[in-house]
Amino acid sequence: MKEAFKNKQETLFKIGQEISGFVLVKEELVEEADGFARTFEHKKTGARLLYLSTEDDNKVFSIAFKTPSIDSTGVAHILEHSVLCGSRKYPVKEPFVELAKGSMNTFLNAMTYPDKTMYPVASTNATDFMNLMDVYLDAVFYPNIYQNPYTFYQEGWHYHLEEEGDAINYNGVVYNEMKGAFSNPEEILQNKIFESLYPDSPYRFESGGDPDVIPDLTYEAFIDFHQKYYHPSNSYIYLYGDGDVCEHLEYLNTSYLADFDKKEIDSSIASQKPFSKRAELTASYGIASDESTQKKAYMALNYVLGETMSFEKGLGFLILAHILLNNNASPLKEALLELDIAEDISYHYSNSLKQPYFSIVLKNTDEDKKALFLDTVETVLKKLVADGLDPLAVEAGVNIHEFSHIEGEYGTYPKGLVYIIDMMETWLYGQEATDYLKYKPVFETIKGQMKKGYFEKMIVDMLLDNPHQSFVTIVPKKNYQEELDQSIADKLAAFKDGLSPDQLNNLLAETQTLIKKQNEEDAPEDLAKIPKLALSEIRKDAKTYPLAVAEAFDTKLLYHEGFTGDIAYLKLYFDYSHLDQDELKVLSFMCKLLGSLSTGNKDYRLLNQEIEINTGGLSFGIESYDDFMDHGQYQSFVYVKGKAVKDKIPQMVDLIQEILTGTLFTERNLIRDLIREIKTQKENQFLTAGHVIGVQRLQSYYSKTARLFEELGGIEFYRFIADLDLNFSEKFDKLSESLKAVAQKVFMGKRPIISITGSEAEKTQVLASLESYLLSLKAQAFGKNSYNLKQQVLNEGFMTAAKIQYVSQGYNFKNLGYDYSGSMLVLKSIISMDYLWNKVRVQGGAYGAFMNIGRTGEVYFGSYRDPKLAKTLDAYRGIVAYLKDLTLSQRELEKYIIGTISNKDVPISVFVKGEVADNFYFSHISHDQQQKERDQILGTDLADLKAFISMLEEILDQNIICVLGSEEAIRQDADLFMEVRSVK
């Protein structure tokens, strides 16, 4: 912290002082956040406000409301969507979307939790920040939901009937979102855990909305919820960054808060009375008709850990859970895996509730294994208390969490945003918000007590002697979803049959009115009310990413200089192009094993402990880079990443070398467990990230690198893993030999390219530590294999147990002879934020829809948690006509340009800058090309956009599609596909 900033802040205010209607209640220097935290109370309304003043220009604002659920209709979730659909000052259909189009925001979203709803925004531009704040405050306090019930119908649910002869169905964005969520057995399990642990508390309800219950929500109850909870007296307001405190307080008071009076609001969260004995609950979930029901159950042992915990206690238990269950070497997870009764074991701990909870979960098991599961947990925990936890395991758990706090690496998320999400875990329940920031003394306390039974006492008090438990089982059931769907269809058919002619006509008219409103364009004068920056305020120069290319040990060195707080980031890129094609899947699997198996010198338990004691983590994987300058060419590497504080760089490098050169691929049981874990995780992705899986598969039809990814991580890799699981006994010996051979070829052959991010001193230390290992390798290149990555258009429809679809279509424009232009990114913004948002999300009811376009020629369209299939593909085909008819005022065009540039200007850490610089280096994208792209974005006009019509027309004419979705929907539209199949 600069001395001038500190001196100014220290003399700014006095406790008890009134500033623009706010009274300063508390002020403190928070060393860990490098800033001053001030707690205010608004005198007239009682609104709470926390201002964290720092020198960070990535300013954050958030307003949150305590919103405990009263049922499972998802009213809080629907309201979160709906208040952002027009307000008093901004009477357009989608102010949120208009902001996303034309703001330099670094974060823009809203989130519903089990007991609170948050509306955070962030920007580095002071004017933009005020604009964002104003739109959000007007939205939450003065939404148009009172004048426009069709917002509730669109975002929540409605009876949808377009033609008299049609069947009535339910539609609505949140309804379809939650249908997608409840397609995932883990989501159902989570719902049942809450129901079992908190039967008399608001937490027993599904705050996101249970799709079977959402249609019980009335418009009147929806309005009542807003009237009750969305008031300053029930709010938690937060500001972070280098903004002017007085200016912001004055604005908040005069523009909004002064218009309200203090109101007594009962938003209390009733505590669940502790149980005297374990509760039990069993439920079902649906699986595809061709799936076996064997080993498909999920079981969870769950604990409520008492009332609101202090930051120290909460952090302590988080570390304890990590020690017990984080990896396959953790004592409780290892013991459960040895039972061989489940394919994966996971845990979940949440301190963001008034009464925190902890769950131990068995995935893909059989329900008759319950007693064995429970007995093993109790036996292991008692033994750990009696014998004491392994001191190295404790040290490792404490160190890895302390490293994470010190590093403060949040990727593209603003630091101030992460702070408030964490601080709400204490602030909402009446504790000091800033406790969550002050981690240094807490870690000192924990480290001082960890050898004196600190964690063992937690095991006794919070687990073994805690009767507030539940045991939840969910079991697979074939045709379960079909039965539910039929039940809903019968219910809706009976509802329709019961309508009088007038009621039926009213429903038809209501549906048509909704469609009409969804298709209406906002008045230009209303759109003009949405504030925006001027193009003149946008920086003209492209960002630079530090990169110095040099040689070290006869290999390439990529160095990214920057201040990282004495942390060194190392990445090694190993060429694997000399491997045979049939070794590629083995290579990918090997990367997932590294660091989890023993080496010649270290047992896998000790290895895991030493990684966490000496580093901030090691990771292994494969990355591919398409060549921007030479279409169709690419580079692909196995990477090894590590990070450590400067004093532990030698230990980090020693551990990397130990793993790369000494891993034993003979540990049969460990490898079997990891196979099952990977398989389970991939199967979960099919239900929760079908848009990602579908697009990757789609691209493999026409892209070499995407086809390569199929071998390394896509559906083909999943099938390889599933086959290993099914035939493990017969295949293990050969697999073990192949893993060893591949590791030797990759890690004991040619020297890798080195990438280092940090200071000059850290670079020197890393290179000195690497020397002996690198000099043991060869400097010359190997022969390169030409892989047969045959592209073939398959147009597959993959059937899953999901209740919704993920619909993708696309192609590569460079294959058609078109060149890349930065203006394409403006086109992407327009089609995503205007056309697809309206056609697929607003009118179609999908939770999300998007277009993506890339420098290497990729163009694809996708939908997320989409109730439609054929209609979505029709919507994609309508893009050409939309673009032909497109007219934009200069103001609207500038909004899209600014919104496009904002994605380029999100602040990122020195570490992430190093990652980006490497990406550009391997893809052969120069700074001049980045500047050209920025110039093209800023210079985009309507003619540039229209020039892409023929390109999009040709792409859509290829008719290349891939869909993951429900069996019913895929079979109903089977004629769209060349092949209909199970994803498994």
Side-chain angles (χ1 to χ4, degrees):
M1 183 185 298
K2 293 177 183 175
E3 199 63 32
F5 173 79
K6 182 179 178 182
N7 292 338
K8 178 183 177 182
Q9 294 294 325
E10 284 177 334
T11 58
L12 204 55
F13 305 117
K14 293 181 180 179
I15 302 296
Q17 180 180 350
E18 184 176 338
I19 308 106
S20 300
F22 289 88
V23 176
L24 180 61
V25 178
K26 184 179 180 182
E27 177 182 77
E28 58 184 327
L29 171 65
V30 181
E31 178 187 345
E32 292 88 340
D34 213 22
F36 278 80
R38 297 185 178 90
T39 304
F40 296 90
E41 181 177 319
H42 188 248
K43 202 170 181 181
K44 190 178 180 199
T45 65
R48 310 153 192 83
L49 187 144
L50 175 64
Y51 205 122
L52 185 54
S53 292
T54 71
E55 296 177 281
D56 190 347
D57 70 345
N58 197 2
K59 291 170 277 290
V60 177
F61 162 79
S62 171
I63 184 165
F65 302 94
K66 189 184 287 188
T67 53
S69 298
I70 55 175
D71 53 37
S72 291
T73 60
V75 58
H77 187 191
I78 295 169
L79 196 56
E80 174 232 302
H81 281 239
S82 299
V83 300
L84 294 170
C85 292
S87 66
R88 174 192 63 174
K89 289 169 66 175
Y90 307 107
V92 299
K93 291 190 298 182
E94 302 274 4
F96 173 82
V97 178
E98 297 304 320
L99 284 175
K101 290 176 184 176
S103 162
M104 290 295 290
N105 73 84
T106 56
F107 186 85
L108 181 73
N109 213 329
M111 298 93 85
T112 304
Y113 294 85
D115 54 16
K116 62 181 177 284
T117 311
M118 293 182 67
Y119 296 88
V121 295
S123 180
T124 57
N125 182 288
T127 302
D128 190 45
F129 182 64
M130 293 299 295
N131 293 342
L132 294 168
M133 204 188 324
D134 197 60
V135 173
Y136 263 46
L137 284 166
D138 203 65
V140 298
F141 289 130
Y142 301 105
N144 280 348
I145 58 174
Y146 292 87
Q147 297 80 36
N148 180 18
Y150 290 94
T151 298
F152 167 69
Y153 303 150
Q154 173 183 291
E155 298 298 318
W157 78 277
H158 65 276
Y159 292 113
H160 196 84
L161 182 66
E162 294 186 29
E163 302 287 343
E164 186 175 340
D166 292 347
I168 293 177
N169 58 57
Y170 295 127
N171 202 9
V173 172
V174 169
Y175 177 77
N176 290 318
E177 176 189 353
M178 296 310 295
K179 275 185 69 177
F182 273 59
S183 297
N184 179 8
E186 294 189 32
E187 188 78 26
I188 296 170
L189 179 67
Q190 187 67 51
N191 175 269
K192 296 303 176 184
I193 288 170
F194 273 62
E195 187 179 318
S196 68
L197 287 176
Y198 307 101
D200 307 309
S201 157
Y203 296 134
R204 72 185 184 275
F205 300 118
E206 174 54 63
S207 59
D210 183 331
D212 293 334
V213 182
I214 288 173
D216 294 339
L217 179 64
T218 65
Y219 173 66
E220 291 72 25
F222 167 75
I223 291 296
D224 288 346
F225 196 88
H226 182 269
Q227 287 178 330
K228 179 175 183 178
Y229 293 119
Y230 278 60
H231 188 279
S233 301
N234 189 43
S235 69
Y236 297 77
I237 302 170
Y238 167 81
L239 289 124
Y240 164 91
D242 64 355
D244 187 310
V245 179
C246 294
E247 177 187 332
H248 287 156
L249 295 181
E250 172 68 19
Y251 157 76
L252 287 166
N253 180 56
T254 59
S255 297
Y256 289 97
L257 301 186
D259 295 334
F260 294 85
D261 295 316
K262 192 166 187 176
K263 181 180 177 182
E264 290 300 322
I265 298 171
D266 182 9
S267 58
S268 60
I269 301 165
S271 293
Q272 176 61 51
K273 184 179 178 181
F275 296 169
S276 58
K277 64 177 183 178
R278 182 187 299 130
E280 300 200 4
L281 189 154
T282 300
S284 299
Y285 77 94
I287 59 172
S289 61
D290 60 350
E291 286 188 69
S292 167
T293 58
Q294 290 187 331
K295 293 201 76 172
K296 287 293 176 65
Y298 286 66
M299 295 193 293
L301 173 60
N302 318 290
Y303 305 81
V304 169
L305 304 176
E307 291 289 321
T308 305
M309 294 197 292
S310 66
F311 174 48
E312 182 214 304
K313 194 172 182 181
L315 178 60
F317 194 87
L318 177 66
I319 295 170
L320 173 62
H322 180 99
I323 293 167
L324 294 175
L325 287 154
N326 183 65
N327 56 56
N328 293 5
S330 302
L332 183 51
K333 185 170 184 178
E334 183 178 29
L336 291 169
L337 285 170
E338 285 176 353
L339 300 176
D340 195 21
I341 60 173
E343 292 188 351
D344 193 15
I345 289 97
S346 66
Y347 70 95
H348 187 73
Y349 163 61
S350 175
N351 196 27
S352 60
L353 304 171
K354 184 182 179 186
Q355 294 174 284
Y357 79 99
F358 172 63
S359 295
I360 306 167
V361 179
L362 298 192
K363 301 178 185 179
N364 290 349
T365 183
D366 289 312
E367 53 186 320
D368 63 358
K369 301 299 189 291
K370 171 187 169 185
L372 186 56
F373 176 23
L374 291 173
D375 290 346
T376 302
V377 171
E378 183 174 7
T379 301
V380 171
L381 292 180
K382 284 181 176 179
K383 188 173 190 306
L384 291 172
V385 171
D387 299 346
L389 291 162
D390 181 344
L392 284 179
V394 172
E395 183 183 355
V398 172
N399 178 77
I400 199 71
H401 283 87
E402 185 175 26
F403 186 99
S404 177
H405 277 79
I406 293 170
E407 181 187 28
E409 175 55 57
Y410 308 119
T412 59
Y413 288 102
K415 185 179 292 187
L417 170 69
V418 178
Y419 286 166
I420 185 54
I421 290 173
D422 285 345
M423 286 190 289
M424 288 302 292
E425 295 189 7
T426 51
W427 197 17
L428 193 74
Y429 312 115
Q431 297 190 30
E432 289 292 337
T434 53
D435 285 355
Y436 243 95
L437 301 178
K438 295 177 281 190
Y439 62 83
K440 288 185 179 180
V442 172
F443 273 105
E444 288 306 310
T445 297
I446 291 173
K447 287 191 282 189
Q449 296 295 317
M450 66 185 188
K451 296 180 181 178
K452 302 175 183 178
Y454 179 88
F455 291 108
E456 288 83 355
K457 187 175 188 305
M458 274 192 168
I459 293 174
V460 173
D461 294 346
M462 302 175 78
L463 300 178
L464 288 172
D465 289 351
N466 176 10
H468 196 157
Q469 302 180 23
S470 76
F471 192 87
V472 176
T473 306
I474 61 167
V475 295
K477 185 178 178 182
K478 290 187 179 183
N479 301 317
Y480 179 75
Q481 188 54 48
E482 289 77 2
E483 291 171 7
L484 285 178
D485 291 343
Q486 188 59 54
S487 174
I488 292 170
D490 292 344
K491 179 180 178 181
L492 289 172
F495 171 75
K496 184 180 180 184
D497 289 341
L499 295 175
S500 68
D502 286 346
Q503 290 172 323
L504 185 63
N505 287 332
N506 287 339
L507 180 54
L508 284 163
E510 197 167 72
T511 302
Q512 291 304 320
T513 301
L514 174 60
I515 293 170
K516 180 182 175 184
K517 285 182 174 293
Q518 291 170 334
N519 282 311
E520 283 176 353
E521 293 188 3
D522 290 310
E525 60 270 22
D526 289 336
L527 285 170
K529 294 173 183 176
I530 301 288
K532 81 170 197 58
L533 297 175
L535 272 183
S536 59
E537 297 179 75
I538 307 302
R539 183 167 49 85
K540 300 296 185 290
D541 297 332
K543 290 173 74 170
T544 57
Y545 300 92
L547 171 63
V549 182
E551 294 284 327
F553 312 116
D554 290 323
T555 190
K556 197 75 70 180
L557 169 65
L558 310 178
Y559 173 51
H560 317 287
E561 185 172 13
F563 176 73
T564 56
D566 286 337
I567 294 174
Y569 295 90
L570 169 65
K571 193 169 184 180
L572 302 176
Y573 296 93
F574 290 87
D575 182 14
Y576 68 85
S577 60
H578 54 295
L579 295 182
D580 296 331
Q581 185 156 347
D582 61 6
E583 294 177 308
L584 293 180
K585 291 186 178 76
V586 175
L587 173 72
S588 181
F589 179 51
M590 178 200 71
C591 290
K592 299 177 189 305
L593 298 178
L594 295 173
S596 298
L597 302 177
S598 301
T599 68
N601 298 317
K602 297 182 192 297
D603 170 84
Y604 70 95
R605 301 176 192 84
L606 178 62
L607 180 66
N608 273 279
Q609 291 164 358
E610 291 199 2
I611 289 171
E612 293 191 343
I613 289 170
N614 294 294
T615 80
L618 303 178
S619 60
F620 311 84
I622 302 172
E623 289 176 342
S624 300
Y625 305 89
D626 284 297
D627 194 324
F628 177 71
M629 301 302 293
D630 191 355
H631 179 56
Q633 299 304 306
Y634 67 91
Q635 295 187 78
S636 190
F637 301 97
V638 173
Y639 70 79
V640 181
K641 283 199 284 191
K643 52 189 175 181
V645 296
K646 186 166 62 176
D647 293 344
K648 291 190 174 181
I649 289 171
Q651 292 94 321
M652 174 183 71
V653 173
D654 285 348
L655 285 166
I656 289 173
Q657 182 176 356
E658 176 84 18
I659 292 167
L660 298 185
T661 63
T663 293
L664 303 176
F665 297 102
T666 54
E667 294 175 299
R668 188 185 190 93
N669 290 343
L670 279 177
I671 292 174
R672 179 205 58 192
D673 291 341
L674 288 163
I675 286 172
R676 292 174 175 175
E677 188 175 305
I678 294 164
K679 173 176 168 283
T680 302
Q681 289 169 354
K682 294 296 289 186
E683 288 171 350
N684 187 52
Q685 284 181 356
F686 298 146
L687 298 175
T688 61
H691 58 308
V692 176
I693 301 293
V695 164
Q696 289 168 343
R697 183 71 170 189
L698 172 88
Q699 292 174 315
S700 74
Y701 300 160
Y702 52 82
S703 161
K704 278 186 183 179
T705 48
R707 182 64 192 84
L708 177 64
F709 178 80
E710 275 297 300
E711 301 292 311
L712 302 173
I715 290 174
E716 296 305 317
F717 177 73
Y718 163 75
R719 289 173 175 158
F720 166 75
I721 291 294
D723 180 62
L724 287 179
D725 179 44
L726 186 64
N727 302 291
F728 184 76
S729 296
E730 305 93 90
K731 296 200 171 190
F732 175 73
D733 290 341
K734 183 178 179 182
L735 174 67
S736 177
E737 293 171 6
S738 298
L739 288 165
K740 181 180 178 181
V742 166
Q744 287 177 334
K745 286 183 181 181
V746 175
F747 301 130
M748 288 175 266
K750 183 186 173 185
R751 293 173 193 171
I753 295 171
I754 309 164
S755 176
I756 300 171
T757 301
S759 69
E760 188 71 33
E762 287 147 12
K763 180 189 78 171
T764 301
Q765 175 75 291
V766 170
L767 290 175
S769 302
L770 280 170
E771 183 174 7
S772 63
Y773 169 51
L774 293 183
L775 290 181
S776 71
L777 306 179
K778 299 178 177 64
Q780 75 270 18
F782 294 128
K784 194 170 185 175
N785 282 332
S786 179
Y787 299 132
N788 178 24
L789 300 173
K790 182 182 178 183
Q791 291 98 65
Q792 180 181 0
V793 176
L794 299 174
N795 282 16
E796 294 155 300
F798 289 104
M799 297 179 294
T800 72
K803 304 175 187 178
I804 38 69
Q805 281 61 250
Y806 302 94
V807 183
S808 56
Q809 180 171 0
Y811 195 55
N812 190 296
F813 62 76
K814 289 193 173 182
N815 290 349
L816 300 171
Y818 293 94
D819 293 324
Y820 174 74
S821 166
S823 295
M824 290 177 174
L825 300 181
V826 182
L827 176 73
K828 178 188 83 169
S829 297
I830 293 171
I831 291 176
S832 293
M833 300 305 296
D834 187 65
Y835 178 79
L836 291 176
W837 180 278
N838 287 320
K839 278 287 184 184
V840 180
R841 187 186 190 276
V842 172
Q843 296 173 35
Y847 183 54
F850 53 90
M851 172 191 182
N852 202 14
I853 197 161
R855 294 184 182 95
T856 56
E858 287 295 342
V859 178
Y860 56 82
F861 313 98
S863 67
Y864 179 71
R865 291 183 178 172
D866 186 352
K868 306 293 195 299
L869 198 167
K871 283 190 176 181
T872 296
L873 292 170
D874 287 341
Y876 296 161
R877 285 187 283 273
I879 288 171
V880 171
Y882 162 81
L883 194 52
K884 286 178 179 177
D885 295 338
L886 181 67
T887 58
L888 289 171
S889 67
Q890 185 59 31
R891 187 181 192 279
E892 288 301 297
L893 178 59
E894 287 184 5
K895 280 172 62 174
Y896 284 115
I897 291 171
I898 292 167
T900 302
I901 283 290
S902 73
N903 294 321
K904 299 285 181 184
D905 289 354
V906 174
I908 54 177
S909 66
V910 174
F911 160 67
V912 177
K913 285 180 180 177
E915 293 269 296
V916 173
D918 284 358
N919 192 323
F920 285 155
Y921 174 79
F922 290 123
S923 299
H924 299 134
I925 300 171
S926 68
H927 180 71
D928 287 346
Q929 287 155 347
Q930 296 166 52
Q931 184 62 55
K932 180 181 178 183
E933 176 188 74
R934 191 178 186 91
D935 292 342
Q936 289 169 336
I937 293 170
L938 292 171
T940 299
D941 59 24
L942 189 58
D944 293 326
L945 299 172
K946 299 275 189 181
F948 300 129
I949 291 173
S950 60
M951 178 192 78
L952 289 178
E953 198 163 24
E954 287 189 61
I955 284 169
L956 290 162
D957 283 347
Q958 304 300 314
N959 194 35
I960 299 177
I961 64 172
C962 183
V963 178
L964 275 75
S966 70
E967 183 174 351
E968 180 186 8
I970 296 286
R971 291 198 185 281
Q972 183 176 321
D973 289 312
D975 57 328
L976 294 171
F977 306 104
M978 295 179 182
E979 186 169 359
V980 169
R981 60 196 301 186
S982 168
V983 77
K984 299 177 183 181

